[in-house]
Amino acid sequence: MHFTQKDILDMASLSAEEITHILDTAQGMKEISLRPVKKVPTLRGKTLILFFHEASTRTKTSFDIAGKRLSADVIALAKSGSSMAKGESLLDTVKTLEAMHPDVVVMRHGTSGAAQYIAGHLKSPVINAGDGKHAHPTQALLDMMTIRERKGRLAGLKVAIIGDIAHSRVARSNMEGLIRMGAEVRVAGPPTMIPKGVEEVYGVKVFSAVEGALEGADVVMMLRIQKERMENILFASEREYARTFGLSTGRLALAHPDALVLHPGPMNRGVEITDEVADGHHSVILDQVENGVALRMALFYLLAGGMRHADED
Amino acid sequence: MQMKIENGHVLDPGNMDGIRDIWIHDGRIAAVTEPGECRDRADEIFDATGLVVTPGLIDMHVHLREPGQEYKETIETGCRAAVRGGFTAVCCMPNTRPVNDHAGVTAWIIAQAKKAGLARVYPVAAISRGLEGSQLNEYADLKSAGAIALSDDGMPVNSGQMMRRAMEYAKAFDLFLISHCEDLSLVAGGVMNEGETATRLGLGGIPNISEYLMVQREIGLAEWTGSRIHIAHVSTRESVQAIREAKARGVQVTAETAPHYFSLTDEAVGRYNTAAKMNPPLRSEADRRAIIDGLADGTLDCIATDHAPHASMEKNVPFDEAPNGIIGLETSLGLSLKLVHDGFLSLKDLIRVMSKNPARILGFTNDLTPGALADLTLMDTAAFWEVDPSAFASLSRNTPFGGWQLHGQAVATIVEGRVVFRK
């Protein structure tokens, strides 16, 4: 298929066919990372700008490695040290970037809608690497890639997403993407962390008790509890959270015997997930990280016009 | 100097409803006669055939931004926008820089407005020093300088005790309070209505109850102190119901809403459209319908715009970072007339909520009777027009209504017998 999206901003704007095409392309990219020389010339001469306005280690590193494995020139910017720290507006910063003719801009920002905002002002493609509480499409895509790899399909799977749905861009993008691909999505967490209208907006099923959501689940996706954001009013204590909403071996037994456990990381071990589960045989958390690089390579390839170099290697 | 407005459909609820000639002499209404009945000579004749002639529209809630933020609006440009919208008078909120918490600022605003010579401007002074909610201002001084009411508007008075004392103190000077009802602890960083759109966009939600709880507090305090309270820009169905019940038991409460609350829902935020960002936020369809019902049954006394100019550079940022507010003076009448065309309000009721009731709340009469000041709005209720923000008289362009087709508009505005706007 011919991929025609200019940007990757959220899962809502991707069709099931496009999602499948991205996942297929990523699957093909995965092999490159297993070679002794992990580099192909596909995006030689292309410039990728990683503009991370919010702290990030794993996502930024994943994009960085993905770009370099395709031989692109990868320029990383952070807010600190950029002109934005000196008070420049986002629009002016973006216009400055535009003048340098990047082939793709990857943007992370603490404000919902920020990626869409800059995409509206940039001719070059924009990949949203996380905007506020809104979307994190590359995380959802790598999650879907990981699930599909293990389960062979997405349609018909029962996926439980547990934790802070309200403040999670990962949850939003996964709900959108998984429903689009025909999965059944259940969410659970303290009522303080379930946003208003989530059933109607995404077509998911809300459970007040984690156990109900876990019952027979093929996939369990745990979300990170952002302790710094909670201000002690979304839940009472880590201890109680772990006991009531955390994923333990005992609770996991409610799910399908072959259930997969995912976590976008970084994990709060002992809070939302126990050590045994995080490191147990259901866990595909490191597969997610590995697939993240392949998935981002695929997106760079599809967006940066790598098509004509695809066969050179 | 005698002016004759002839053959207009004169609609002054409670006083008159029919085709009449209005005679204006020295800024006052000299006579209202049957067409052709009086053959006196007029220096100027305004043919109002096919037009509706009403007491001047009054907008109780605008931001003129001067002093301090003249790049957004000045008293002159705001007044120009007002008269183009058919308003003969506006009340301007005190969150200027410096804040209007001092008689000197109040007097200066009035002087600037006089200089502009367009709409009347009635300054609303601050309840508390610097809008900080902790110290009462000198209400006696403010009143003598021309303040018509008191409000901390966008900075709701958090302390119940402070609000109680302000209500009690204001009574001594026959001033009333206008309350922007918002429990900030429930807003908690929200930027739009809490609901499905906010959930989809990942934006912090502002729940209806943040407004409703404060409305309840103000009603309770007004009842307790025997004071008058005016609730600003009502946006939720729960607030409408609370005000309805309070009025039924005789509490001295009045209330306003704004055209955007009966014209739009939070879906207008669409994909982070900052032109639809305001405070209180656009609500749900159920709220929108309740607002219309509240206007229709008299629970909501008036339509005010909360005209809030912002420069385009301030609105052209990610949604979270954009300031709240939209301009409204030049679209208010057209949007409000839609309620009439859609059968929710009679034209007479619309004139009540846009002209008569604001005047009553502010403490004066606004009648088309001999001896009254000649403040009039002439409107063509049938004219179709398209909202073109680039043609606005306001310095700012922040409206979600650009491109809307509206049905009806002001074609002339007369303040004290002077035509200050004519289309």
Side-chain angles (χ1 to χ4, degrees), chain B residues 383-417:
Chain B
F384 284 95
W385 60 289
E386 183 176 315
V387 179
D388 174 11
S390 70
F392 281 168
S394 170
L395 270 189
S396 291
R397 303 282 173 261
N398 51 311
T399 171
F401 299 113
W404 277 44
Q405 303 289 326
L406 296 182
H407 189 180
Q409 66 182 157
V411 292
T413 306
I414 296 172
V415 175
E416 220 167 316

Side-chain angles (χ1 to χ4, degrees), chain B residues 127-128 132-136 139 152 155-169 177 179-184 213-225 227 229:
Chain B
I127 293 171
S128 69
E132 286 171 0
S134 51
Q135 192 185 341
L136 292 173
Y139 295 170
D152 277 0
M155 307 286 284
V157 176
N158 182 43
S159 151
Q161 172 73 338
M162 174 73 192
M163 198 63 181
R164 170 194 171 164
R165 296 307 182 199
M167 282 188 191
E168 290 171 342
Y169 193 55
L177 270 58
S179 176
H180 167 119
C181 290
E182 200 180 9
D183 180 326
L184 293 176
L213 273 189
M214 215 54 154
V215 167
Q216 287 286 43
R217 184 194 78 173
E218 307 305 43
I219 288 170
L221 284 173
E223 202 165 11
W224 181 258
T225 59
S227 302
I229 185 74

Side-chain angles (χ1 to χ4, degrees), chain A residues 155-172:
Chain A
L157 294 180
K158 296 182 176 67
V159 183
I161 306 180
I162 315 280
D164 184 7
I165 311 295
H167 300 91
S168 173
R169 53 196 176 206
V170 174
R172 280 183 174 77

Side-chain angles (χ1 to χ4, degrees), chain B residues 49-114:
Chain B
T49 308
L51 302 178
V52 177
V53 182
T54 73
L57 305 184
I58 298 170
D59 188 339
M60 275 189 66
H61 193 144
V62 306
H63 298 267
L64 296 179
R65 301 299 187 211
E66 191 181 3
Q69 292 179 304
E70 292 82 356
Y71 65 99
K72 298 184 187 208
E73 195 81 284
T74 64
I75 290 169
E76 188 189 342
T77 59
C79 287
R80 201 166 292 287
V83 297
R84 279 174 56 110
F87 293 98
T88 55
V90 296
C91 298
C92 63
M93 288 293 155
N95 58 339
T96 46
R97 296 177 189 170
V99 169
N100 180 15
D101 59 1
H102 187 274
V105 180
T106 307
W108 184 85
I109 290 170
I110 290 173
Q112 288 298 105
K114 285 232 164 73

Side-chain angles (χ1 to χ4, degrees), chain A residues 227 235-246 251 270-272:
Chain A
K227 290 187 270 185
F235 65 99
S237 66
E238 290 178 25
R239 176 187 156 275
E240 182 167 277
Y241 189 90
R243 288 166 66 101
T244 319
F245 303 99
R251 213 166 256 152
V271 184
E272 67 262 4

Side-chain angles (χ1 to χ4, degrees), chain B residues 372-385:
Chain B
L373 284 171
D375 286 4
L376 297 91
T377 302
L378 279 69
M379 53 184 88
D380 179 350
T381 56
F384 284 95
W385 60 289

Side-chain angles (χ1 to χ4, degrees), chain B residues 2 15 54 58 66 85 90 147 177 190 219 224 231 277 285 294-295 356 391 421-422:
Chain B
Q2 178 131 300
N15 287 324
T54 73
I58 298 170
E66 191 181 3
V90 296
L177 270 58
I219 288 170
W224 181 258
I231 310 291
K277 183 175 177 184
E285 178 62 14
L295 281 168
K356 305 290 278 189
F421 163 69
R422 185 165 188 175

